[in-house]
Protein backbone atom coordinates (compact mmCIF):
# COMPACT_ATOMS: atom_id res chain seq x y z
CA UNK A 1 0.00 0.00 0.00
CA UNK A 2 1.25 3.44 -0.88
CA UNK A 3 0.59 6.65 0.92
CA UNK A 4 0.90 10.26 -0.19
CA UNK A 5 0.36 13.32 1.94
CA UNK A 6 -0.70 16.53 0.27
CA UNK A 7 1.71 18.76 2.12
CA UNK A 8 -0.03 21.87 0.82
CA UNK A 9 -3.13 20.76 2.62
CA UNK A 10 -1.47 19.32 5.72
CA UNK A 11 -1.72 21.68 8.66
CA UNK A 12 0.65 19.79 10.92
CA UNK A 13 -2.01 18.59 13.33
CA UNK A 14 0.07 15.44 13.91
CA UNK A 15 -2.94 13.15 14.27
CA UNK A 16 -1.31 10.83 11.78
CA UNK A 17 2.02 10.79 13.62
CA UNK A 18 0.16 9.94 16.79
CA UNK A 19 -1.85 7.10 15.22
CA UNK A 20 0.81 5.62 12.93
CA UNK A 21 4.19 6.71 14.26
CA UNK A 22 6.12 4.23 12.13
CA UNK A 23 4.82 5.84 8.97
CA UNK A 24 4.35 9.50 9.87
CA UNK A 25 6.60 11.72 11.94
CA UNK A 26 6.63 15.39 12.68
CA UNK A 27 9.85 17.18 11.95
CA UNK A 28 9.83 20.32 13.98
CA UNK A 29 6.55 22.14 14.51
CA UNK A 30 4.98 21.90 11.10
CA UNK A 31 6.90 19.72 8.67
CA UNK A 32 5.64 16.20 8.24
CA UNK A 33 7.88 13.34 7.16
CA UNK A 34 6.36 10.07 6.01
CA UNK A 35 7.08 6.73 4.47
CA UNK A 36 5.51 6.48 0.99
CA UNK A 37 5.42 2.69 1.13
CA UNK A 38 3.46 1.47 4.13
CA UNK A 39 5.15 -1.49 5.85
CA UNK A 40 3.18 -4.71 6.28
CA UNK A 41 1.23 -4.61 9.49
CA UNK A 42 0.87 -0.83 9.44
CA UNK A 43 -2.05 -0.62 7.05
CA UNK A 44 -4.72 -0.47 9.68
CA UNK A 45 -2.94 2.26 11.58
CA UNK A 46 -2.50 4.25 8.41
CA UNK A 47 -6.19 3.93 7.57
CA UNK A 48 -7.01 5.22 11.01
CA UNK A 49 -4.68 8.15 10.40
CA UNK A 50 -6.42 8.83 7.08
CA UNK A 51 -9.77 8.94 8.86
CA UNK A 52 -8.41 11.13 11.64
CA UNK A 53 -6.68 13.76 9.53
CA UNK A 54 -8.77 16.91 10.01
CA UNK A 55 -8.04 18.19 6.50
CA UNK A 56 -8.09 14.89 4.56
CA UNK A 57 -4.52 15.39 3.40
CA UNK A 58 -3.59 11.70 3.36
CA UNK A 59 -4.24 9.58 0.28
CA UNK A 60 -3.69 5.83 0.23
CA UNK A 61 -3.76 2.94 -2.17
CA UNK A 62 -4.58 3.57 -5.81
CA UNK A 63 -5.32 7.23 -5.23
CA UNK A 64 -1.75 7.58 -4.02
CA UNK A 65 -0.17 5.42 -6.68
CA UNK A 66 -0.92 7.45 -9.79
CA UNK A 67 1.98 9.82 -9.39
CA UNK A 68 -0.31 12.71 -10.23
CA UNK A 69 -0.97 15.65 -7.99
S1 LIG B 1 -3.09 14.44 10.45
FE1 LIG B 1 -3.27 15.43 8.45
S2 LIG B 1 -2.91 17.59 8.88
FE2 LIG B 1 -2.18 16.44 10.63
S3 LIG B 1 -0.01 16.16 10.28
FE3 LIG B 1 -1.09 14.36 9.51
S4 LIG B 1 -1.45 14.80 7.34
FE4 LIG B 1 -0.96 16.71 8.32
Amino acid sequence: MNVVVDLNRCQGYAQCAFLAPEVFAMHGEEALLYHPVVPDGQQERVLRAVAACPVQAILVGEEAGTGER
Side-chain angles (χ1 to χ4, degrees), residues 15-52:
Q15 299 294 337
C16 54
F18 178 70
L19 289 165
E22 290 187 30
V23 176
F24 304 100
M26 298 307 294
H27 185 71
E29 295 260 310
E30 292 191 348
L32 178 71
L33 298 176
Y34 66 97
H35 240 284
V37 180
V38 177
D40 285 346
Q42 292 294 312
Q43 270 97 335
E44 199 172 312
R45 285 171 169 269
V46 168
L47 293 176
R48 260 184 249 157
V50 170

Side-chain angles (χ1 to χ4, degrees), residues 4-7 9-19 24-26 29-34 49-50 52-59:
V4 169
V5 178
D6 182 344
L7 294 174
R9 197 181 273 202
C10 171
Q11 299 294 318
Y13 291 116
Q15 299 294 337
C16 54
F18 178 70
L19 289 165
F24 304 100
M26 298 307 294
E29 295 260 310
E30 292 191 348
L32 178 71
L33 298 176
Y34 66 97
V50 170
C53 177
V55 292
Q56 286 88 47
I58 308 171
L59 300 177

